[in-house]
Amino acid sequence: MKKALKVIGIVLVSLLGVVAATIGIACWLIFTPARLTPIAQKAADKYISCDTHIGKANITLFKTFPQLGLAVDDVVIINPVEGAATDTVAAIRELDASIDLKRLIKTHEIVVNGIDLNGGKAYIYTAADGTSNIDIFPKSDKEKDKEGFDLSSLTLDVDHLTAQDLDVTYCSRKDSIDASAKGTSLNVKGALNKGNIKAQAELAAKHAMLNIAKSEPLSADIDGMMLKADIDALSKDGKADATLAAGNIRYEKGTVEASLQELKADVKADKDDTLWKGSATINASAPLLAVNGKSPLNAGATRLDLEAKGWFDGKNIEIEPVVTTPDISFTQAGTQWLNRSDVSIKAGVRTDTTFRRFNLSEGDIRLNQFALGLDGDIALSPNDTIGADVHLKTNCWDIPALLTQLPRSVRRALKDVQIRKAGATLDLNVDGTLHKGKLDLKNADGTLLADYLDVTYNDSITVITPRVAIGLHTPKSRKTNKFTEFVQGTIASPSIDAVLTGTGDFSLASLNGTYSLSNFTDKKKPFSALASLGMSTLKANVDTIVAQMERPHIDALMTKQKNKPYYSATLKADAFNGNMGKTTKLSTQSLAIDATALQDKTKKNVLDQWNPDAQIQLKGGHAELPALSVPIDIPNISLEFTPGKFNVKQSRIVMGNSDFALQGLITDLNTWLDKEGLLKADMTFKSDYTDVTQILDLVSGMGSKPKNSTDTAASTQDSDDSEPMKEDNPFMVPEGVDVRLRTDIKTANWNGFKFNNVGGRVTCSDGSLVAEQLGFTSQAATMQLTAMYKSPRKNHLYAGLDFHLIDVEIDKLIELIPKIDSIVPMLKEFDGQAQFHLAGETYMKSNYDLKLSTLRGAATVEGKDLKVLDSNTFATIKKYLMTDRQAENKIDSMDVEIAVFRDEVDVYPFRIRLGQYEAIVGGRHNINKDFDFNYHISVTDTPLPVRLGLNIDGTLDDMKFKLVTPKYTNLYKPEKRGVVATRSLELKKAINESLKRNVKSNEYFND
Amino acid sequence: MLIATAVVLCWSCEGEDVVPDKEFDVTLLYGTWRLNDSQLYYKYFEDGTGYTWDESDDVTEEEAQGFTWTLDKSEMIHMHVGMALVPKYYIVTKLTDTQLCYYDAYVTSKTYQFIKATQP
């Protein structure tokens, strides 16, 4: 274009020269067209190397008065160039040149001070090899042209230069340019002298177009263009006003298309010494922009208005543009981001002539009612780094209203989020650089304030808060013990309420906290976050559960360790209160939880995936449960959970009259969850005082289901058929666990009996619950108990025991175990100390009724110096056996072995000595409805000459005595006794030995 | 009257303690026996072990309780082993391939009659 202007300038100057020469000749030699025309033609031939034709040349005086005029009609310049559309370079219908007549007369100078062109065409063509059809000047001029054309050295004083109705076409095959201007008019008046310009110019064209066919084709056209300029530019002062008006403008380059229907631009500038001040107004109607391609973009508005003012002092530039576009619509890739929105941009921009540093002041960007204020500095570095130190501040954005402005696709993506009310205000200072997409924040400080928030997510979580303030600032890189902090901030809210549909309500009050984030723009380092939150209360309302935590404080960390997600959290609370319904209450005076987790997504089970590690400390716990008639107090408990292991480090629990401490390890959680092994526990149960009776009463029936339960558990019919069917829910021993509990109870109370130093082991291993060799002492006896309970199925429950009472008072024994009276009914007849050993087992139905066919048992009672209590039965026996009525009712020794098989209780023959009398007693009774029995007493030693036998049979209510021949006379006479007697003694001995086999020494009980 | 009865009893013979001297083919015992008119079963194995169960008490054979046994002439002793050692002492009166009869040596009036349910 610059070259084209240069060429046009050369042509104009040349034409002026031709005109001046023609006028000169006309003035001094020939004044008639007939004479002037050949002369002009000759002169043209001299200055123009190609063919020229001049129709008519004439001198005019009156047309250009007071100037002398030369009128030339039908000037045609012909210079054929191969490839050109025509050989005519220019065809001018009328050309009038005004010559300063005064200077001509006075100084004989020919000064052309005005040229008027009217009608004509110009065609400028450059071939691909650079040959141009305007190379029409003699060689000397060409050489001059090669030296360059310096407009600054040009001195012009143009009274007027006008052109009317010109069509100009430019075609360069070399540069692939086609340009044209139709109906062009020009009116220039002014002077150019040593760089000083004083000119007024008007340029108009009915239609102009430009096409550049390069790799990215460009085409532009404009209708009805009018440019007015008034320039007064002196070396120190100056001013310039320019007005541009145009009709339709269309621009297309590559994939970019732009158009507008009407354009009006006014530019005014004043120069004062070195300071330029100016203003500009641009108004465009129906501006459109389209960028085609993979992600097509379309933007359009009814108007685009720009008002700007500014100044330039030679070094610095400041402009204050105000851009407004009402009803703008913007679509990208089918997504409509703006729909008839009002957008305005206002800012004060100051920069220098390097255009690398910009200062923004009072920036204001608005989209409808949403405003973003912008101030600060922006610097562009040669290495494509953008530096910014800016302050952003929004007005209060109505988020629901903002969402309506967002495209449907975005709203669809947020369809699970229902924001009923939310106002957000952002106030942010940012100082950082951006280089190749990488953000490097030096400093950022700001606050995001939500004035009110009422949001529902997924129709399930609703959060309501009157106010949340989130502060943010990036400190200098500060390393915590976990990561380098990049962003640090605060969070505060007077209250937050959350509703989880179907779950419950949660709320917190007076939230204050801090958080920090790692550099989330650094993709090479894992993202980490740290939060420390404190609040006055935290409440939860779930179903019938109401819980409240006082002054909880939570510290939480999220980072990566060994390239795996790592989480840690601590919770401390002054107090916790929880109620479930009206009957269940839980409270603590203090609660502390310290937990970590290292996530490994490759693992299957939950514990392996998270590797949790937790420390839990609770003090002043208090629980009231509907199933328990007494509260449970937990003065303190300390738990530690590590992967696969649960450690009850310390605990103290008070339940009713009992207090105890549980301590120990629960292990193999992982293998248990993987169903590859047993859950193992090794615990100790220490207690100063355990009220066993109360605990059993408390836990009795726990876990049983209501009678109207639809559970298909085994049911049993009561013996009385008229009784309704009852559902049973017996205790089922957990399977897959191996729990060992060591007991250390200083004093245990059971049914009023106090047992001391209860020590032993209780195990629950894969379906069996075993109390193993529990040893304890009481006022009545020293005891040892092994008990076993198994639940292979609901209607087949196993119970077994091995029970030893050393030196027990018989009356206390019966009091302790009332059922012993059923097994050894004669025991209640004695008083004194005895050793009692009992072992047995049975299966039970789901209601714990015995399955008698499975009952097996054995017992032995050994006593010395026992007193036989006075009773009718004993008196009757003494009468039948004719013993001395005055004889002391004292038994020197007694050794009873008893075997229980199904409903049969066999009392193996045992010897008792009563003074001078000795007898052997044996027999059987049945544990059936009638409790019938069949006993025999043989008198083996008596001062009397006769030794009698006595059968006692019948039932307890109907006891029958019958003197018979004594059966056991020879029982202790090996040489005389029979086979059955011998065998009975052997079996009696076997029972005795088997029962005593597991008895521990006295030291065991005293340890 | 009491004295007269006593004198008579004193001079009468002591109660008998005699076991029939009979031999039985122990191999006939192997297998499962069911007590007449009941669902009580005993199963004897060659190695001197066995188990018993009563289906009327909702006990299956898989849930049967074990014992060891000996048969010496007519004396059969069951030693039920579990938490307690419980002996039962019987005198066999009949053992065929289909029938087993014995009585309780301790309470001789209590007799038992079994029929063979299955062979070993």
Side-chain angles (χ1 to χ4, degrees):
Chain A
M1 286 299 290
K2 189 175 178 183
K3 186 173 182 182
L5 288 172
K6 187 190 294 181
V7 169
I8 291 168
I10 293 169
V11 170
L12 290 173
V13 171
S14 300
L15 287 172
L16 287 173
V18 170
V19 170
T22 305
I23 292 171
I25 293 167
C27 288
W28 291 99
L29 298 172
I30 302 163
F31 296 100
T32 63
R35 297 294 297 274
L36 282 174
T37 300
I39 294 170
Q41 180 68 56
K42 196 172 180 178
D45 291 342
K46 183 180 178 182
Y47 288 103
I48 297 174
S49 59
C50 64
D51 288 344
T52 58
H53 298 279
I54 295 175
K56 185 175 77 177
N58 195 13
I59 292 292
T60 65
L61 190 59
F62 300 106
K63 189 178 179 180
T64 57
F65 187 80
Q67 312 299 336
L68 177 65
L70 175 62
V72 182
D73 294 343
D74 300 328
V75 179
V76 178
I77 301 172
I78 295 171
N79 186 20
V81 172
E82 189 174 351
T86 177
D87 57 0
T88 303
V89 177
I92 307 299
R93 196 168 65 241
E94 293 177 6
L95 186 155
D96 295 337
S98 301
I99 298 166
D100 189 340
L101 192 58
K102 289 181 180 177
R103 291 181 65 177
L104 177 65
I105 295 169
K106 286 183 177 178
T107 62
H108 302 266
E109 286 179 289
I110 297 174
V111 176
V112 177
N113 53 15
I115 294 176
D116 297 295
L117 301 174
N118 186 16
K121 294 181 180 178
Y123 177 73
I124 303 166
Y125 176 78
T126 303
D129 61 357
T131 306
S132 174
N133 68 349
I134 59 171
D135 288 339
I136 57 175
F137 300 106
K139 192 178 178 181
S140 58
D141 291 339
K142 287 181 186 175
E143 287 170 350
K144 190 175 182 179
D145 178 50
K146 284 179 183 174
E147 291 171 1
F149 185 82
D150 186 5
L151 273 175
S152 65
S153 63
L154 186 64
T155 296
L156 282 177
D157 188 0
V158 179
D159 178 66
H160 66 275
L161 173 61
T162 68
Q164 299 292 329
D165 196 18
L166 284 181
D167 292 342
V168 180
T169 302
Y170 173 75
C171 177
S172 172
R173 292 285 175 263
K174 182 182 179 184
D175 298 317
S176 303
I177 296 173
D178 285 294
S180 68
K182 306 287 187 189
T184 308
S185 62
L186 177 70
N187 188 350
V188 178
K189 180 182 179 183
L192 172 64
N193 186 9
K194 296 179 181 177
N196 292 330
I197 300 173
K198 184 175 175 63
Q200 293 90 42
E202 288 181 10
L203 175 64
K206 290 179 180 174
H207 179 80
M209 58 79 72
L210 171 68
N211 287 324
I212 301 175
K214 288 194 171 177
S215 59
E216 194 173 42
L218 181 152
S219 75
D221 58 64
I222 181 168
D223 291 335
M225 183 191 76
M226 167 66 81
L227 174 64
K228 291 182 179 178
D230 186 353
I231 302 169
D232 186 359
L234 301 176
S235 58
K236 285 191 175 181
D237 303 324
K239 66 176 183 177
D241 296 336
T243 301
L244 173 66
N248 288 324
I249 298 176
R250 189 188 64 80
Y251 171 85
E252 184 175 344
K253 182 179 182 185
T255 59
V256 179
E257 292 179 40
S259 69
L260 51 84
Q261 289 181 359
E262 191 176 355
L263 175 68
K264 185 178 179 184
D266 290 314
V267 179
K268 297 181 188 300
D270 290 306
K271 185 186 176 190
D272 182 7
D273 196 5
T274 58
L275 180 65
W276 279 92
K277 289 182 181 178
S279 64
T281 302
I282 297 174
N283 304 107
S285 62
L288 294 173
L289 174 67
V291 179
N292 301 311
K294 289 181 180 178
S295 180
L297 179 153
N298 287 284
T302 54
R303 295 194 57 76
L304 173 64
D305 298 317
L306 166 67
E307 287 184 16
K309 59 181 180 179
W311 54 262
F312 171 60
D313 64 1
K315 291 180 180 176
N316 299 305
I317 303 166
E318 183 174 303
I319 56 173
E320 295 176 14
V322 179
V323 180
T324 55
T325 54
D327 286 342
I328 187 170
S329 297
F330 178 68
T331 304
Q332 186 184 27
T335 300
Q336 186 162 40
W337 289 91
L338 299 175
N339 182 21
R340 299 179 66 85
S341 300
D342 293 340
V343 173
S344 67
I345 301 170
K346 175 184 171 186
V349 182
R350 185 169 181 173
T351 184
D352 56 23
T353 51
T354 66
F355 291 99
R356 291 200 171 277
R357 303 189 70 82
F358 299 89
N359 174 264
L360 304 176
S361 59
E362 297 180 8
D364 185 70
I365 301 169
R366 286 179 185 266
L367 169 65
N368 296 331
Q369 69 268 45
F370 308 105
L372 172 66
L374 180 64
D375 297 280
D377 296 309
I378 296 172
L380 307 178
S381 297
N383 63 352
D384 294 332
T385 299
I386 301 172
D389 183 0
V390 294
H391 173 221
L392 304 167
K393 183 174 174 61
T394 69
N395 60 353
C396 183
W397 285 5
D398 183 340
I399 301 300
L402 179 64
L403 289 176
T404 62
Q405 310 284 314
L406 296 177
R408 283 184 184 174
S409 59
V410 176
R411 291 205 299 268
R412 273 198 296 274
L414 296 170
K415 64 181 170 52
D416 291 336
V417 181
Q418 185 185 355
I419 303 176
R420 282 175 294 281
K421 191 173 180 183
T425 306
L426 176 70
D427 190 340
L428 179 67
N429 287 302
V430 179
D431 183 4
T433 58
L434 182 67
H435 180 66
K436 293 181 179 177
K438 184 183 175 184
L439 179 66
D440 184 10
L441 269 182
K442 290 179 186 170
N443 181 275
D445 286 283
T447 305
L448 175 63
L449 180 68
D451 266 341
Y452 194 91
L453 196 62
D454 184 353
V455 183
T456 297
Y457 174 71
N458 205 18
D459 290 332
S460 58
I461 302 172
T462 298
V463 176
I464 300 172
T465 177
R467 185 181 173 92
V468 172
I470 300 172
L472 173 151
H473 70 272
T474 57
K476 290 180 180 178
S477 292
R478 192 183 80 178
K479 272 199 170 185
T480 68
N481 56 347
K482 296 295 181 184
F483 65 92
T484 303
E485 290 180 348
F486 176 64
V487 176
Q488 213 179 28
T490 57
I491 181 167
S493 174
S495 68
I496 297 176
D497 296 314
V499 179
L500 274 63
T501 307
T503 301
D505 305 342
F506 302 87
S507 66
L508 58 85
S510 303
L511 171 69
N512 275 293
T514 62
Y515 68 90
S516 57
L517 309 174
S518 66
N519 189 350
F520 44 81
T521 64
D522 188 349
K523 305 295 182 191
K524 293 177 182 175
K525 291 184 178 175
F527 174 68
S528 300
L530 183 69
S532 179
L533 306 173
M535 54 206 88
S536 61
T537 56
L538 178 63
K539 296 179 182 175
N541 193 339
V542 179
D543 196 17
T544 59
I545 299 172
V546 178
Q548 178 166 328
M549 213 177 274
E550 298 295 333
R551 288 172 290 283
H553 189 96
I554 300 166
D555 288 300
L557 168 71
M558 179 181 76
T559 184
K560 277 195 172 182
Q561 279 188 358
K562 300 174 184 174
N563 213 27
K564 292 174 182 171
Y566 174 83
Y567 306 89
S568 76
T570 61
L571 165 68
K572 289 181 181 175
D574 280 358
F576 170 84
N577 285 289
N579 296 331
M580 188 167 73
K582 294 181 178 176
T583 52
T584 301
K585 295 179 180 177
L586 295 168
S587 64
T588 66
Q589 288 176 354
S590 72
L591 175 67
I593 299 173
D594 189 348
T596 63
L598 185 65
Q599 190 181 14
D600 185 350
K601 294 179 180 176
T602 62
K603 297 294 173 65
K604 285 182 181 176
N605 78 46
V606 176
L607 281 179
D608 275 350
Q609 277 185 2
W610 289 94
N611 291 295
D613 192 334
Q615 308 264 354
I616 301 166
Q617 284 190 314
L618 182 151
K619 288 184 178 176
H622 179 82
E624 295 177 23
L625 306 174
L628 295 178
S629 58
V630 296
I632 299 174
D633 286 300
I634 306 171
N636 68 70
I637 190 166
S638 175
L639 309 170
E640 180 183 33
F641 186 86
T642 53
K645 194 162 68 177
F646 196 82
N647 185 6
V648 182
K649 296 163 77 174
Q650 183 186 354
S651 71
R652 184 160 170 260
I653 298 164
V654 178
M655 186 165 76
N657 301 326
S658 307
D659 72 290
F660 54 88
L662 273 172
Q663 191 174 0
L665 288 174
I666 298 171
T667 59
D668 295 66
L669 280 169
N670 292 15
T671 54
W672 179 62
L673 286 174
D674 287 338
K675 298 180 179 176
E676 293 174 353
L678 302 178
L679 176 68
K680 295 179 179 173
D682 193 353
M683 316 276 292
T684 59
F685 178 93
K686 281 189 175 180
S687 171
D688 287 337
Y689 184 83
T690 300
D691 190 335
V692 179
T693 309
Q694 187 185 44
I695 290 177
L696 289 177
D697 286 344
L698 290 173
V699 301
S700 174
M702 278 183 77
S704 61
K705 294 184 177 175
K707 288 184 178 178
N708 60 354
S709 168
T710 55
D711 186 14
T712 55
S715 61
T716 56
Q717 186 79 38
D718 271 5
S719 53
D720 184 351
D721 288 344
S722 63
E723 288 289 316
M725 189 82 80
K726 67 177 181 183
E727 299 286 346
D728 302 318
N729 193 20
F731 174 69
M732 303 298 288
V733 181
E735 295 189 353
V737 297
D738 182 4
V739 177
R740 297 173 189 279
L741 186 68
R742 289 186 300 280
T743 59
D744 182 4
I745 304 171
K746 286 184 178 173
T747 304
N749 176 25
W750 186 50
N751 286 335
F753 290 93
K754 289 189 177 176
F755 304 103
N756 301 317
N757 303 321
V758 180
R761 193 165 59 182
V762 176
T763 61
C764 178
S765 180
D766 206 18
S768 296
L769 182 63
V770 181
E772 195 174 350
Q773 296 186 351
L774 289 180
F776 41 94
T777 60
S778 75
Q779 289 178 338
T782 298
M783 292 169 245
Q784 179 188 323
L785 172 68
T786 295
M788 182 183 291
Y789 178 85
K790 292 190 282 190
S791 51
R793 59 187 171 93
K794 279 194 171 179
N795 202 41
H796 198 60
L797 310 168
Y798 173 88
L801 63 86
D802 180 32
F803 191 29
H804 306 275
L805 295 99
I806 316 298
D807 301 330
V808 64
E809 296 290 338
I810 290 176
D811 57 334
K812 297 289 184 187
L813 170 64
I814 296 170
E815 206 175 326
L816 193 63
I817 316 172
K819 282 282 180 187
I820 201 73
D821 190 34
S822 304
I823 300 169
V824 196
M826 73 288 287
L827 205 58
K828 63 175 176 288
E829 310 290 343
F830 302 103
D831 186 24
Q833 261 195 349
Q835 278 195 26
F836 179 73
H837 305 274
L838 170 68
E841 66 182 27
T842 187
Y843 283 90
M844 297 173 288
K845 297 175 184 174
S846 57
N847 61 352
Y848 298 118
D849 282 350
L850 298 185
K851 290 183 176 181
L852 272 178
S853 70
T854 65
L855 180 61
R856 312 281 187 269
T860 178
V861 183
E862 296 175 1
K864 287 181 181 176
D865 300 327
L866 300 177
K867 185 180 178 184
V868 182
L869 300 173
D870 287 330
S871 68
N872 290 335
T873 305
F874 187 59
T876 306
I877 292 170
K878 284 171 71 176
K879 185 182 77 178
Y880 272 100
L881 296 178
M882 293 184 289
T883 55
D884 184 359
R885 291 185 183 178
Q886 302 303 317
E888 191 184 4
N889 292 353
K890 187 178 178 185
I891 294 174
D892 295 340
S893 65
M894 184 176 72
D895 184 0
V896 188
E897 272 71 37
I898 300 157
V900 182
F901 182 74
R902 299 197 175 115
D903 61 349
E904 301 167 352
V905 179
D906 291 340
V907 178
Y908 279 78
F910 65 94
R911 185 165 48 186
I912 57 173
R913 172 162 287 280
L914 194 68
Q916 293 178 298
Y917 298 86
E918 183 188 83
I920 297 175
V921 183
R924 168 179 295 174
H925 65 268
N926 294 301
I927 315 171
N928 53 23
K929 197 173 181 182
D930 297 329
F931 208 82
D932 57 295
F933 55 86
N934 187 343
Y935 278 92
H936 174 81
I937 302 173
S938 293
V939 176
T940 53
D941 190 10
T942 174
L944 297 176
V946 292
R947 290 179 174 79
L948 296 174
L950 180 65
N951 278 353
I952 308 170
D953 53 20
T955 65
L956 286 175
D957 297 331
D958 185 15
M959 211 175 282
K960 293 175 181 171
F961 299 87
K962 184 181 178 184
L963 282 172
V964 295
T965 307
K967 280 171 65 178
Y968 304 130
T969 310
N970 298 321
L971 186 67
Y972 291 101
K973 297 175 182 172
E975 69 282 5
K976 291 183 179 178
R977 69 181 166 221
V979 175
V980 175
T982 303
R983 203 69 71 217
S984 294
L985 285 180
E986 289 172 0
L987 298 177
K988 179 179 162 79
K989 186 182 177 192
I991 291 169
N992 186 285
E993 289 176 351
S994 72
L995 284 168
K996 293 180 178 174
R997 192 173 299 144
N998 295 325
V999 178
K1000 299 287 183 185
S1001 65
N1002 283 336
E1003 289 75 18
Y1004 175 84
F1005 302 102
N1006 296 326
D1007 282 345
Chain B
M1 179 64 185
L2 187 61
I3 295 170
T5 306
V7 170
V8 171
L9 288 173
C10 185
W11 282 328
S12 65
C13 296
E14 190 183 304
E16 290 185 0
D17 183 1
V18 178
V19 173
D21 189 15
K22 291 176 72 174
E23 287 280 352
F24 295 99
D25 180 0
V26 72
T27 61
L28 295 174
L29 192 60
Y30 308 154
T32 305
W33 298 89
R34 182 172 62 81
L35 183 67
N36 266 354
D37 302 322
S38 78
Q39 291 176 273
L40 177 65
Y41 293 87
Y42 279 79
K43 190 163 190 173
Y44 297 88
F45 295 105
E46 199 175 338
D47 63 354
T49 63
Y51 53 74
T52 178
W53 74 99
D54 188 349
E55 291 182 349
S56 67
D57 230 355
D58 187 26
V59 183
T60 64
E61 183 176 354
E62 288 73 29
E63 296 164 343
Q65 291 165 282
F67 62 87
T68 61
W69 61 270
T70 57
L71 178 60
D72 184 6
K73 293 185 179 176
S74 61
E75 286 182 282
M76 183 166 69
I77 295 174
H78 291 173
M79 286 291 204
H80 296 272
V81 288
M83 291 293 282
L85 178 69
V86 180
K88 293 304 285 184
Y89 180 26
Y90 304 111
I91 306 299
V92 178
T93 56
K94 188 178 184 179
L95 176 57
T96 68
D97 57 351
T98 58
Q99 252 191 319
L100 169 65
C101 301
Y102 57 75
Y103 65 87
D104 193 315
Y106 202 54
V107 179
T108 54
S109 60
K110 194 150 189 178
T111 60
Y112 302 90
Q113 290 187 0
F114 290 87
I115 56 171
K116 198 69 167 280
T118 60
Q119 295 296 331

